[in-house]
């Protein structure tokens, strides 16, 4: 094992920084287990000063499990279907995409709301790794909010009321909210709405709220009531004491738990500042566990 790897909790209650590890190199099991345990304990890990090809990012990410595919070739990095380009740069021209390009606009609006990657899937994903390559000098931070801490902070009676609720998560919700045209029916058919418990029990016994902007309704509740409850819980979960703000430097890789960590992209000068990140996402292998 590398003798220098260390996991240092941040100032906030969510997240830790991992140093002394080069993610581009093959990793022995002992080093990997330090990272895995750190991730379980802190739910968000920051690795700085990395230099990763798409292939190396895939190799590291795959240590955690099977990766999700991004089916549209124009979104894929270097021909890897498991690496999503998160960017305002047009691959064909190398220049900045027009701000009003519909696909780009919907992505920007979608990621600027608090969300959990892939919450609309039947099997929610386990984690995402976001690797910053080109980062704007100003703006473009990512905010993270921990719904484990938010759950813990709720009064006991309120928690019990939430345990029985199922939430519908739909990828189309963001488009509807921003009055963007729906995706073609065949694309929608590939990601139909999914239902998940509002509160999930993790393997370590802790509980978390499963929320985010793809959440569109609650079974057995009228739309208005459901919207108000979901919005209220997001407000609780995004209180400053439950959040971490990452200011990007090129070479940062941030890995976050996609069951109990929501995130949100902060604005930057879309028309003039270049931004390119590569995202990999570890697929889920089972439905979310209910509170027993
Ligand atoms: Fe995201």
């Amino acid at each position: 094992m590398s003798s220098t790897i260390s996991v240092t909790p941040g100032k906030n209650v969510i997240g830790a920084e991992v140093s002394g590890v080069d993610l581009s190199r093959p990793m022995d099991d002992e080093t990997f287990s330090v990272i895995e345990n750190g991730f379980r304990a802190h739910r968000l890990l920051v690795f700085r000063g990395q230099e990763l090809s798409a292939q190396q990012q895939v190799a590291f990410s795959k240590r955690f499990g099977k990766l999700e595919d991004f089916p549209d070739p124009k979104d894929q990095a270097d021909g890897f279907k498991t690496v999503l380009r998160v960017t305002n740069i047009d691959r064909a021209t190398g220049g900045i995409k027009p701000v009003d390009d519909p696909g780009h606009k919907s992505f920007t609006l979608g990621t600027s709301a608090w969300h959990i990657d892939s919450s609309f899937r039947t099997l929610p994903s386990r984690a995402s790794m976001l690797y910053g390559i080109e980062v704007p000098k100003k703006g473009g931070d990512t905010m993270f909010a921990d719904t484990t801490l938010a759950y813990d902070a709720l009064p006991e009676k309120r928690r019990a009321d939430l345990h029985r609720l199922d939430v519908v998560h739909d990828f189309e919700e963001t488009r509807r909210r921003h009055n963007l045209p729906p995706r073609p029916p065949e694309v929608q058919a590939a990601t139909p709405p999914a239902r998940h418990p509002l509160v999930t029990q993790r393997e370590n016994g802790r509980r978390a709220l499963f929320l985010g902007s793809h959440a569109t309704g609650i079974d057995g509740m009228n739309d208005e009531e459901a919207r108000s409850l979901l919005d209220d819980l997001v407000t609780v979960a995004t209180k400053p004491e439950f959040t971490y703000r990452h200011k990007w430097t090129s070479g940062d890789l941030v890995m976050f738990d996609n069951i109990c960590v929501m995130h949100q992209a902060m604005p930057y000068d879309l028309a003039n500042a270049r931004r390119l990140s590569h995202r990999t996402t570890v697929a889920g292998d089972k439905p979310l566990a209910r509170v027993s």
Side-chain angles (χ1 to χ4, degrees), residues 155-279:
E156 204 173 320
K157 161 77 176 80
R158 179 132 198 241
R159 290 188 211 156
D161 288 342
L162 302 180
H163 291 169
R164 60 189 172 80
L165 300 178
D166 281 322
V167 179
V168 181
H169 292 253
D170 185 353
F171 190 83
E172 285 300 313
E173 172 63 15
T174 299
R175 287 179 168 256
R176 279 196 289 270
R177 199 174 300 159
H178 294 291
N179 295 317
L180 294 164
R183 296 170 303 158
E186 65 278 12
V187 180
Q188 285 195 44
T191 51
R195 279 181 166 69
H196 303 295
L198 173 57
V199 182
T200 182
Q201 175 120 14
R202 312 301 305 277
E203 276 166 18
N204 62 5
R206 296 196 73 172
R207 294 166 179 178
L209 300 167
F210 193 67
L211 292 169
S213 61
H214 303 303
T216 175
I218 296 177
D219 282 345
M221 207 179 266
N222 71 47
D223 287 352
E224 209 177 319
E225 209 185 336
R227 179 46 49 211
S228 146
L229 174 58
L230 292 168
D231 288 349
D232 182 46
L233 292 173
V234 169
T235 303
V236 172
T238 55
K239 284 183 177 177
E241 60 266 40
F242 306 143
T243 64
Y244 164 70
R245 182 176 191 133
H246 189 74
K247 167 97 191 98
W248 290 90
T249 300
S250 174
D252 291 348
L253 182 137
V254 181
M255 168 176 188
F256 46 95
D257 188 313
N258 271 337
I259 292 172
C260 67
V261 178
M262 292 191 290
H263 59 284
Q264 173 188 54
M266 301 307 280
Y268 66 99
D269 185 354
L270 273 176
N272 298 297
R274 292 171 67 87
R275 182 183 199 205
L276 173 64
S277 302
H278 283 173
R279 180 183 128 194

Side-chain angles (χ1 to χ4, degrees), residues 86 107 110-111 113 115-118 128 130 256 258 263-265 279:
V86 179
F107 188 82
T111 54
H115 66 284
I116 288 183
D117 289 341
S118 300
S128 282
L130 200 52
F256 46 95
N258 271 337
H263 59 284
Q264 173 188 54
R279 180 183 128 194

Side-chain angles (χ1 to χ4, degrees), residues 44-87:
L44 177 147
L45 296 178
V46 177
F47 303 81
R48 297 188 195 271
Q50 302 295 321
E51 212 170 305
L52 294 176
S53 65
Q55 184 161 24
Q56 288 162 336
Q57 182 172 343
V58 166
F60 169 65
S61 305
K62 271 168 76 175
R63 295 291 298 256
F64 291 88
K66 191 177 172 308
L67 303 184
E68 287 185 358
D69 288 342
F70 301 101
D72 191 338
K74 75 171 169 16
D75 296 335
Q76 300 167 357
D78 306 335
F80 284 88
K81 63 180 192 304
T82 52
V83 185
L84 177 73
R85 295 172 84 244
V86 179
T87 190

